[in-house]
Amino acid sequence: MTILSTDRKTNWYSLTRTGWQQFLSEIDHRSFRAQQVMKWIYHERVSNVESMSNLSKILRSKLASVTESTLPKLVHTSMSRDGTVKWIIETETGGAVESVLIPDGRRNTLCISSQLGCSLDCVFCATGKQGFAGNLSVSDIVGQVVIVTDWLRENPSCGELTNIVFMGMGEPLMNFEATMDACDIFMDDLAFGISKRRVTISTAGVVPRILDMCGRTEASLAVSLHAANDELRNYLVPLNKKYPIGMLLDSCREYLSSLSDRRIVTFEYTIIDDINDSDQVAKELASLLRDFRCKVNLIPFNPFPLSTFRRPTEDKISRFYKQLRDKGIMVTNRTTRGDDIDAACGQLVGNFEDKTRRRERYQSARPGVSCV
Ligand code: SAH
């Protein structure tokens, strides 16, 4: 398939290194120029081809006529008391998504979005309640990181970007090709050069796509588990009815075995009061994950306007934590960050026109409560 299009310009931020090589061949130029072009874009951060001084005039004028450097539009920046920063970004796809930077010691993790809303509708997630309006393009995904790294350059006291996680709005594996291409760009030394261990794809468990990741990427995998048996997980994550826990864990093992080095899967576990925080569930979870190369990341439930769930008390969370740890499971307790600016896990809503009517149904089920 050709990249060069007659009816639209190719966006700089949509192409991986192989994409640039193919594109340059299509416009009759040598593919090795891809390296030069990408360095200008990502390392030198030029905004027009005229500045790419080591390219011939002919190539520069060709690129000027067939490419564009459009970034998604930054609409709003908000800062939390705890240093978390949230950006609202208007995408080329239409509608706005949210990206969140979480500074933590020497680590600066950016949480990015992959879709406008989400089609999965996990019961405890605000994004799902907003409905769904489509996939982001590669340039919309990469653009979030470009906007934030440009911001960090202007605010050097905030440090450099060290980690990227697909834990914002959307299910990245339901936007598979764009997510894979974006990961390639994040990990490429000619672009962001972030190590494969520090780029994490978080999924609710789209099993066939986890299998497709084998050999296609080496990004880290996080799976939103939230339950230790199918009955509870079917309720919390409706996708489980299609891809139950056994199948999901098998696909994770397969992915781990496709990686060249010794890696682990992170299981995210949103802990919800009286739903999945009992001693019995902890026991069941520990036995499910015994012998699995993994870490469990406990995320205390973050409330949002339409939710009826509650966050467990600190005591309950630490009891659950200890039970897992005592049974030999590696476990971390994620501190809630950015909740004063609605930037915590599961609180991201963005702004877009819902195409599923799910938002309307939720709002009419709970009259008087606004979603956004
Ligand atoms: N669709 C992907 C990524 C987006 S959600 C996935 O399911 O993994 C990122 C993480 O936040 C997931 O683990 C999700 O389950 C969790 N999450 C969603 N809503 C939450 C809430 N209200 N409180 C705490 N965590 C939540």
Side-chain angles (χ1 to χ4, degrees):
M1 215 173 66
T2 54
I3 297 171
L4 183 65
S5 153
T6 45
D7 44 59
R8 60 177 308 189
K9 291 187 171 188
T10 298
N11 190 307
W12 287 4
Y13 304 103
S14 68
L15 297 182
T16 61
R17 188 192 297 217
T18 20
W20 272 110
Q21 287 167 341
Q22 182 189 332
F23 183 74
L24 285 158
S25 314
E26 285 173 17
I27 57 171
D28 299 324
H29 285 268
R30 306 278 298 277
S31 58
F32 76 88
R33 299 271 175 216
Q35 301 210 12
Q36 292 169 319
V37 173
M38 286 183 79
K39 278 189 188 163
W40 282 116
I41 296 173
Y42 293 103
H43 296 180
E44 305 301 329
R45 291 294 303 122
V46 300
S47 54
N48 60 65
V49 278
E50 275 323 301
S51 313
M52 301 184 180
S53 54
N54 57 358
L55 304 185
S56 69
K57 265 204 168 126
I58 299 171
L59 176 53
R60 274 186 274 165
S61 85
K62 182 69 188 176
L63 286 177
S65 65
V66 293
T67 68
E68 61 179 19
S69 61
T70 319
L71 279 171
K73 195 167 142 231
L74 178 56
V75 185
H76 187 70
T77 307
S78 34
M79 282 222 193
S80 159
R81 282 189 298 266
D82 65 20
T84 302
V85 190
K86 180 170 90 170
W87 289 270
I88 299 180
I89 292 171
E90 207 170 275
T91 65
E92 143 187 283
T93 325
V97 293
E98 303 188 334
S99 315
V100 180
L101 183 72
I102 308 145
D104 185 13
R106 260 182 291 171
R107 213 193 288 177
N108 252 339
T109 303
L110 179 63
C111 176
I112 54 170
S113 298
S114 56
Q115 294 184 309
L116 280 170
C118 189
S119 61
L120 297 183
D121 200 16
C122 300
V123 291
F124 52 85
C125 178
T127 305
K129 307 292 168 263
Q130 291 291 297
F132 177 66
N135 284 332
L136 297 192
S137 63
V138 179
S139 54
D140 280 336
I141 299 174
V142 173
Q144 296 170 61
V145 181
V146 174
I147 287 175
V148 172
T149 45
D150 284 351
W151 184 90
L152 285 170
R153 242 178 240 125
E154 282 164 26
N155 295 275
S157 63
C158 294
E160 287 183 1
L161 182 65
T162 60
N163 295 60
I164 297 176
V165 293
F166 279 86
M167 291 183 194
M169 295 165 60
E171 168 49 52
L173 295 188
M174 299 288 266
N175 185 9
F176 186 77
E177 289 305 331
T179 296
M180 293 299 111
D181 282 1
C183 285
D184 287 350
I185 297 170
F186 298 153
M187 294 182 221
D188 194 328
D189 286 339
L190 295 175
F192 299 96
I194 297 185
S195 93
K196 56 193 177 187
R197 289 167 180 268
R198 291 168 178 237
V199 174
T200 302
I201 296 174
S202 177
T203 178
V206 191
V207 167
R209 298 291 88 74
I210 294 175
L211 296 173
D212 288 345
M213 283 170 65
C214 303
R216 173 65 182 87
T217 187
E218 290 193 283
S220 293
L221 177 65
V223 171
S224 297
L225 193 59
H226 314 310
N229 63 59
D230 284 324
E231 197 189 349
L232 181 57
R233 196 164 190 272
N234 283 347
Y235 164 62
L236 293 173
V237 183
L239 182 71
N240 193 71
K241 293 177 200 148
K242 206 164 171 190
Y243 307 119
I245 293 176
M247 218 188 218
L248 177 58
L249 295 189
D250 283 348
S251 70
C252 294
R253 279 192 197 92
E254 182 107 10
Y255 182 61
L256 282 183
S257 66
S258 79
L259 301 175
S260 50
D261 48 355
R262 220 179 142 71
R263 307 270 286 280
I264 59 166
V265 169
T266 301
F267 289 109
E268 293 163 275
Y269 194 96
T270 297
I271 182 159
I272 311 172
D273 193 39
D274 287 343
I275 300 283
N276 62 357
D277 61 345
S278 69
D279 291 356
Q280 174 56 29
V281 177
K283 214 186 273 170
E284 215 179 336
L285 186 62
S287 100
L288 180 74
L289 300 180
R290 200 178 42 218
D291 304 329
F292 202 107
R293 260 161 47 204
C294 70
K295 175 178 90 179
V296 172
N297 191 356
L298 293 181
I299 313 172
F301 172 71
N302 292 308
F304 55 91
L306 289 180
S307 67
T308 50
F309 296 120
R310 290 177 315 268
R311 178 184 296 186
T313 60
E314 286 301 321
D315 281 355
K316 271 180 146 181
I317 298 175
S318 69
R319 188 181 163 92
F320 195 89
Y321 171 95
K322 282 189 197 122
Q323 280 186 307
L324 292 180
R325 193 197 53 193
D326 293 348
K327 292 201 165 56
I329 305 286
M330 200 176 6
V331 47
T332 50
N333 190 353
R334 191 186 293 175
T335 38
T336 299
R337 302 286 305 268
D339 51 349
D340 55 328
I341 53 167
D342 286 339
C345 275
Q347 291 186 323
L348 304 186
V349 290
N351 183 15
F352 54 89
E353 198 182 323
D354 177 24
K355 293 189 177 150
T356 64
R357 301 198 56 212
R358 197 190 304 142
R359 192 185 307 174
E360 203 181 299
R361 285 199 300 276
Y362 273 100
Q363 281 173 341
S364 59
R366 290 177 172 72
V369 188
S370 155
C371 242
V372 213

